[in-house]
Structure formats: structure tokens, C-alpha cells
């Protein structure tokens, strides 16, 4: 058992071993990235059943699949441009998606060294960077979600990334959002539902099933404001990350910039 991390300053990875009979975590190795300095660090993705391999990279030009035990490169994306990555995830055991902060998407197969499939965002999206990209692995399989720091949101079909299944302008509220703050995720067991965070101390739940291809303002079906409510007076707490519970469809976990972690349920 091992954990792979990145320090946020370079594209190198750190490999840690989890003890079988203790709670001690020991560093056992490292994997060299292709960029000695990286302002946003590396994105990391792993397959559920993999032979000690990890996909990682800081930009679209340096995405690679590496062997953890030896550090050997097994695959390189080979993108022509070096756009900063906002997300990286496997869609299947061999196919992965790399989302860039400008809204463009790369889809590639680690078994094939050929050029990846590249899809720029629709023209009306390009003025709203940076973007966060997330692919659905649940009941909305083949759906790609792109959310910008301005709240503009686009749902596309994996088979037609250049088009738009639906679009929306999310309610960002009074909170400000940095370039790396936005996080969006599909509910793994509830069709059409997404969670979005990054604007202040709240996590918003939206139902995309009612959206249309025409850009429109949409309200959330639920808002978790627990981090802002429980913070100290005067603290501008923001949600830094959130995650759907893998076994409880209506339970989420979220983390705040003050170090708080919340486990909560939502109802519509």
C-alpha cells in the first residue's frame, strides 16, 4: 500500500508507504517529473487496479505515466502546447482525460502512442478561463463538466466534445475565486447532480438535468455553508476541496482553508 503526493512547487512526486501493522507513513521513493519548477504543482491520477503506476503532469506537454517502483516513463502525452492542467483522470483502464485551465481537453489512450484527441472549448467559453474539468463515471457516463472561475458551466458529451449538451451561469455569490480554487464533481450515484465549490465557504449542489443548451442563470438545489458558519469572526474561510461519499449517495465531505473537514448530508 502506498500514497503518492506532490509538493505543489515542482512536478516531482513523492511516494510513501503505509505500514501494515501501524499508522506510520514512511517515504520510500520519488518519481521525477519533467518540469523542475511548477507554480501549481502536478495533477495526479491512478487507476483503481494498476500495477504501481501513476499518471501525472503539470501541463499538457508533460503528462506521463510512470512506474512507481522504478520511475520509468511508460507513456507520454506529447501535446504540442504546454497549457496548465486543472484536472487529470482515467475514464477507463487505459483512456484518460486531461483538462486544461483554458477549457481545452485532451483524451488519450496509454496503450497508443499516437496523437491525442484535442478539443478546444466553444468560442463563447474562451473568455472565462480558468476552467475546471470533470468527467462522470456514474449514471451520467460520457458526460464532461467544465466550470470556470466566473461561474460559467458547460456540459458536453465525450463523443462530441466540441458541442454543448447544456450550459449555465452559476450563482457565485459575493465570494471571490482564485485561479485554482474551483472544484466540480459529478454525483457518482445520482443522475445529473453536481457539486461545485470555490467561491467562499460554501459547496453548491446543482441539478443539470433541467439545463438547456442556451446559457442561463440557474439556482442551486442545496447549499452547504457550514465552513463559513463555523469559522471565527472575521475569517474569510473558503472551501478548498470536496468529495462525494463513495457509498452514501447524499453524503459529501468538504475541507476548508482553516483546516476544518465536514461530513454532511443534503436534501432537496
Amino acid at each position: 500500500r502506498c500514497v503518492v503526493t506532490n509538493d505543489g512547487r515542482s512536478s516531482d512526486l513523492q511516494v510513501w508507504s503505509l505500514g501494515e501493522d501501524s499508522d506510520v507513513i514512511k517515504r520510500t521513493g520519488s518519481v521525477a517529473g519533467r518540469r523542475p519548477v511548477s507554480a501549481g504543482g502536478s495533477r495526479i491520477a491512478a487507476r483503481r487496479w494498476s500495477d504501481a503506476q501513476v499518471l501525472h503532469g503539470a501541463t499538457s506537454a508533460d503528462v506521463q505515466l510512470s512506474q512507481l517502483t522504478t520511475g520509468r516513463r511508460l507513456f507520454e502525452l506529447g501535446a504540442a502546447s504546454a497549457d496548465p492542467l486543472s484536472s487529470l483522470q482515467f475514464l477507463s483502464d487505459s483512456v484518460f482525460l486531461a483538462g486544461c485551465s483554458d477549457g481545452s481537453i485532451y483524451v488519450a489512450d496509454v496503450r497508443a502512442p499516437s496523437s491525442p484527441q484535442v478539443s478546444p472549448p466553444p468560442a463563447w467559453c474562451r473568455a472565462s478561463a480558468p476552467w475546471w474539468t470533470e468527467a462522470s463515471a456514474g449514471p451520467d457516463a460520457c458526460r464532461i463538466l467544465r466550470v470556470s472561475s466566473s461561474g460559467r458551466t458547460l456540459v458536453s458529451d465525450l463523443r462530441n466534445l466540441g458541442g454543448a449538451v447544456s450550459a449555465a451561469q452559476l450563482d457565485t455569490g459575493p465570494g471571490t475565486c482564485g485561479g485554482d480554487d474551483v472544484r466540480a464533481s459529478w454525483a457518482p450515484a445520482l443522475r445529473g447532480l453536481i457539486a461545485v465549490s470555490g467561491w467562499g465557504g460554501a459547496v453548491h449542489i446543482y441539478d443539470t438535468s433541467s439545463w438547456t443548451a442556451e446559457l442561463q442563470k440557474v439556482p442551486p438545489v442545496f447549499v452547504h455553508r457550514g465552513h463559513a458558519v463555523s469559522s471565527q469572526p472575521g475569517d474569510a474561510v473558503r472551501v478548498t476541496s470536496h468529495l462525494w461519499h463513495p457509498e452514501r449517495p447524499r453524503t459529501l465531505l468538504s475541507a476548508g482553508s482553516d483546516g476544518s473537514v465536514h461530513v454532511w448530508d443534503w436534501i432537496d
Side-chain angles (χ1 to χ4, degrees):
R1 299 187 303 165
C2 68
V3 174
V4 181
T5 61
N6 173 257
D7 60 13
R9 298 188 297 269
S10 72
S11 60
D12 295 344
L13 305 182
Q14 299 79 46
V15 183
W16 309 80
S17 175
L18 302 178
E20 294 290 343
D21 302 319
S22 70
D23 56 359
V24 177
I25 301 177
K26 297 181 179 180
R27 181 169 175 175
T28 57
S30 62
V31 176
R34 297 171 61 186
R35 299 177 70 87
V37 178
S38 176
S42 278
R43 304 298 179 185
I44 304 172
R47 292 169 286 194
R48 179 166 296 184
W49 314 114
S50 67
D51 186 18
Q53 299 172 3
V54 67
L55 187 71
H56 59 106
T59 73
S60 54
D62 53 45
V63 174
Q64 64 186 58
L65 181 70
S66 299
Q67 186 80 33
L68 290 179
T69 53
T70 64
R72 185 167 67 93
R73 295 177 187 172
L74 306 175
F75 171 87
E76 295 181 2
L77 180 60
S81 60
D83 300 313
L85 292 181
S86 63
S87 58
L88 190 64
Q89 67 184 113
F90 276 99
L91 304 178
S92 68
D93 194 49
S94 58
V95 178
F96 70 89
L97 178 147
C100 300
S101 60
D102 66 350
S104 59
I105 292 176
Y106 292 81
V107 178
D109 192 322
V110 297
R111 300 169 301 180
S114 58
S115 299
Q117 176 187 350
V118 186
S119 174
W124 62 266
C125 296
R126 296 174 189 172
S128 302
W131 291 80
W132 174 269
T133 303
E134 178 79 6
S136 173
D140 295 288
C142 294
R143 287 291 191 263
I144 305 297
L145 176 69
R146 281 178 274 193
V147 180
S148 77
S149 56
S150 66
R152 285 199 170 188
T153 302
L154 180 71
V155 177
S156 304
D157 192 299
L158 181 61
R159 296 159 294 189
N160 181 25
L161 292 174
V165 174
S166 58
Q169 174 64 51
L170 306 186
D171 180 13
T172 61
T176 58
C177 177
D180 196 42
D181 289 342
V182 175
R183 295 290 183 272
S185 60
W186 290 96
L190 300 172
R191 184 175 296 277
L193 291 176
I194 62 171
V196 183
S197 62
W199 297 281
V203 182
H204 296 74
I205 307 294
Y206 290 91
D207 185 356
T208 66
S209 62
S210 61
W211 296 2
T212 66
E214 182 179 352
L215 185 66
Q216 57 186 323
K217 291 184 178 181
V218 296
V221 296
F222 184 86
V223 181
H224 174 71
R225 296 188 174 91
H227 291 277
V229 172
S230 62
S231 62
Q232 297 296 321
D235 290 347
V237 176
R238 58 185 177 84
V239 175
T240 58
S241 183
H242 71 265
L243 179 70
W244 292 86
H245 195 286
E247 298 177 356
R248 302 176 184 174
R250 290 180 176 267
T251 300
L252 289 91
L253 296 83
S254 54
S257 56
D258 59 350
S260 60
V261 176
H262 290 188
V263 181
W264 47 278
D265 296 329
W266 71 276
I267 57 175
D268 53 7

